[in-house]
Amino acid sequence: MTDRTTRTVLLRGGNVHSPADPFATAMVVQGDAVAWIGSEGAADAYVDGADQVVDLAGALVTPAFVDAHVHATATGLALTGLDLTGCPSLAEALARLERQVKQERARGRLTAAGGGAGGAAGGVLIGHGWDDTGWPENRPPTRAELDAAAGGAAVYLSRTDVHSAVASTALRALAERAAGLSSLAGHHPDGPLTRDAHHAVRRAALGHLTADQRRDAQQATLARAASLGIGALHECAGPDISSADDLAELLELAAASAGPDVFGYWGELGGIDTARRLGAVGVGGDLFVDGALGSRTACLHAPYSDAPDSTGTAYLTAEQVADHVAACTEAGLQAGFHAIGDAALTAVLDGVREAARRVGTDRVRALRHRVEHAEFLDDEAVAAFAELGLVASVQPAFDAAWGGEDGMYVRRLGAERARALNPFSRLLRAGVPLAFGSDAPVTPLDPWGTVRAAAFHRTPEHRISVRAAFTAHTRGGWRALGRDDAGVLVPGAPATFATWQAGDLVVQAPDSRVAGWSTDPRSGTPGLPDLTPGGPLPVCLATVVRGRVVYGAL
């Protein structure tokens, strides 16, 4: 499949997941598009005209996944460097940091004061993923502990939600010189930094990355995504999460290499000109209306249960949201916002309604403006999403990581409010489009795990069928881009797909009240792998993007 413009490939002897034929076993790809899907017997007619015939040997063929919310450079740095995700204790996190510092110094890539060139973030060691809510110490590292483990090096360690971080004295000094760190909102002299102070230390750390280091991290992310059957990524960039150079280099790398397609979002208020210059498809993504629940920076109507003096942080007002959405709509560009808490979502919905009043509801709906995360929604908010044509770009792995009776959500919000989070079934019933993503590195690239997390939500009334979750993680990401032709295997659709080693195929609805209809093969519903928790997930054999193999082999 090297010359995509002329080659015809017949895949046969498998199971092709397609609404065109729920029992299909074969597919023809011509160039970069699907040409035909059908039965094994009918496939014989295509053998003579094929440049290549692939025996699938029973493999499953599905549309490739779309991860609708990623941060490629940060994900790659975690993949190739210090990843503290799942670290069991504060003591172990500090021990891992100390070992990483020693390794980087032995390679000549880190100096005591963080002034080296190259290697670990150009002399700043960047790590990610600590989560004190699961540690027996039940607290983050202090500045003194960080300095001791780092031996004086400049170190940046983002919390798992990436909305706060701890920073060593050496890195704080860099941020103080560059941005007056100690005077910024969210500064703490000893503990985690949030808000503007966090943005300042993150900029100081990322500012020490060289172009080569960014490219290596981005390549690691694209390679991992391809190996997991992901055919497209939505990169959520912005001045407070990465940089314009970072996004430009990622888009250039993706365009020049054989890998997943990458679509960039630039999250800057009023950043229409910058988004166009960078080639972004929208002015949104991580345009922060609030922060995150784990860092207690998600903006709430009522105080946190474990911090009764705090309702979190509001970064944007409804008026600012309205101005941004109206301007983007006039410019014909998709807008989007990061909003998690109920007060933040109220600001978004009030703002979008005001924008619709100014420029017209139909024009607002037509652009499919997005809300990232959208966790704390009541019935009224869900109805407003449907009314305004908003896409809910959500991360089911958040519930798998922090939901449940003993999870972080309950500690932060109490049991009643925690049960309201991530209401996927309510959104689907209201007709709200869902696009699934990981927010990597917050949770890992793991598409089948994401589908499982939605189908087996820790709050049973929020569960959706495996089929609906799979659609949200394939076709949903394309629809969020305004591409209704992609994410499904039918004749004429883009040939972006993956092949899988999978077990028996079933039509699975975790709720026994609705399972009966769907398990009858006469329903004509194409099957998917059994994703019951505890069982193995499918293994990707090959990933193809627009007719080109980007992982594995056919």
Side-chain angles (χ1 to χ4, degrees), residues 286-443:
D286 271 337
L287 176 47
F288 299 120
V289 181
D290 68 345
L293 291 166
S295 293
R296 298 190 188 89
T297 50
C299 192
L300 307 177
H301 285 305
Y304 282 86
S305 295
D306 58 355
D309 59 341
S310 174
T311 57
T313 303
Y315 293 118
L316 297 180
T317 66
E319 183 67 18
Q320 289 172 304
V321 170
D323 291 343
H324 185 71
V325 172
C328 288
T329 303
E330 294 282 11
L333 280 173
Q334 190 179 43
F337 302 92
H338 162 120
I340 287 178
D342 53 355
L345 286 159
T346 295
V348 169
L349 295 172
D350 287 349
V352 177
R353 276 202 192 94
E354 170 59 19
R357 187 193 66 78
R358 296 181 196 174
V359 303
T361 300
D362 289 345
R363 293 181 68 194
V364 166
R365 288 178 57 87
L367 281 225
R368 306 181 188 184
H369 301 305
R370 297 169 54 141
V371 182
E372 310 297 323
H373 316 310
E375 291 199 74
F376 200 165
L377 295 161
D378 60 14
D379 287 341
E380 184 179 348
V382 169
F385 265 66
E387 169 200 348
L388 298 166
L390 297 173
V391 174
S393 171
V394 293
Q395 295 74 41
F398 286 8
D399 175 74
W402 303 307
E405 295 180 359
D406 300 321
M408 179 270 289
Y409 289 154
V410 170
R411 291 196 287 277
R412 292 289 186 265
L413 300 175
E416 182 178 356
R417 287 191 293 176
R419 280 194 295 270
L421 297 180
N422 301 299
F424 303 140
S425 62
R426 192 182 305 165
L427 287 161
L428 276 184
R429 286 196 302 270
V432 176
L434 297 183
F436 281 178
S438 63
D439 197 14
V442 175
T443 61

Side-chain angles (χ1 to χ4, degrees), residues 74-442:
T75 299
L77 290 171
L79 287 171
T80 59
L82 179 60
D83 187 358
L84 299 174
T85 302
C87 191
S89 68
L90 169 60
E92 175 61 21
L94 292 170
R96 292 186 191 181
L97 170 61
E98 186 173 358
R99 289 195 295 271
Q100 189 75 23
V101 168
K102 289 179 180 177
Q103 291 174 10
E104 299 301 331
R105 283 187 172 148
R107 297 167 182 160
R109 304 195 304 190
L110 189 66
T111 66
V124 176
L125 194 151
I126 295 177
H128 166 74
W130 60 270
D131 185 356
D132 53 310
T133 62
W135 289 349
E137 298 92 345
N138 198 32
R139 65 173 180 84
T142 65
R143 180 176 174 179
E145 289 170 331
L146 201 62
D147 285 344
V155 171
Y156 168 87
L157 301 181
S158 55
R159 193 182 183 281
T160 186
D161 56 31
V162 198
H163 282 269
S164 62
V166 291
S168 67
T169 296
L171 181 59
R172 287 169 180 258
L174 293 175
E176 184 68 35
R177 291 195 295 270
L181 175 67
S182 59
S183 65
L184 298 177
H187 176 263
H188 190 288
D190 184 59
L193 303 166
T194 62
R195 302 173 64 183
D196 293 344
H198 176 221
H199 298 160
V201 293
R202 178 162 53 196
R203 278 193 295 269
L206 295 178
H208 280 68
L209 284 172
T210 67
D212 286 347
Q213 289 160 349
R214 276 198 296 267
R215 184 191 63 248
D216 290 347
Q218 292 166 355
Q219 285 178 329
T221 297
L222 296 179
R224 174 62 64 89
S227 75
L228 295 170
I230 297 172
L233 302 168
H234 298 186
E235 169 71 10
C236 293
D240 290 328
I241 194 71
S242 55
S243 68
D245 286 345
D246 185 87
L247 178 57
E249 290 168 10
L250 173 63
L251 295 177
E252 182 180 358
L253 173 66
S257 60
D261 288 325
V262 177
F263 300 91
Y265 285 85
W266 180 249
E268 181 181 15
L269 199 66
I272 291 172
D273 290 341
T274 302
R276 283 178 166 160
R277 174 175 59 82
L278 293 172
V281 296
V283 195
D286 271 337
L287 176 47
F288 299 120
V289 181
D290 68 345
L293 291 166
S295 293
R296 298 190 188 89
T297 50
C299 192
L300 307 177
H301 285 305
Y304 282 86
S305 295
D306 58 355
D309 59 341
S310 174
T311 57
T313 303
Y315 293 118
L316 297 180
T317 66
E319 183 67 18
Q320 289 172 304
V321 170
D323 291 343
H324 185 71
V325 172
C328 288
T329 303
E330 294 282 11
L333 280 173
Q334 190 179 43
F337 302 92
H338 162 120
I340 287 178
D342 53 355
L345 286 159
T346 295
V348 169
L349 295 172
D350 287 349
V352 177
R353 276 202 192 94
E354 170 59 19
R357 187 193 66 78
R358 296 181 196 174
V359 303
T361 300
D362 289 345
R363 293 181 68 194
V364 166
R365 288 178 57 87
L367 281 225
R368 306 181 188 184
H369 301 305
R370 297 169 54 141
V371 182
E372 310 297 323
H373 316 310
E375 291 199 74
F376 200 165
L377 295 161
D378 60 14
D379 287 341
E380 184 179 348
V382 169
F385 265 66
E387 169 200 348
L388 298 166
L390 297 173
V391 174
S393 171
V394 293
Q395 295 74 41
F398 286 8
D399 175 74
W402 303 307
E405 295 180 359
D406 300 321
M408 179 270 289
Y409 289 154
V410 170
R411 291 196 287 277
R412 292 289 186 265
L413 300 175
E416 182 178 356
R417 287 191 293 176
R419 280 194 295 270
L421 297 180
N422 301 299
F424 303 140
S425 62
R426 192 182 305 165
L427 287 161
L428 276 184
R429 286 196 302 270
V432 176
L434 297 183
F436 281 178
S438 63
D439 197 14
V442 175

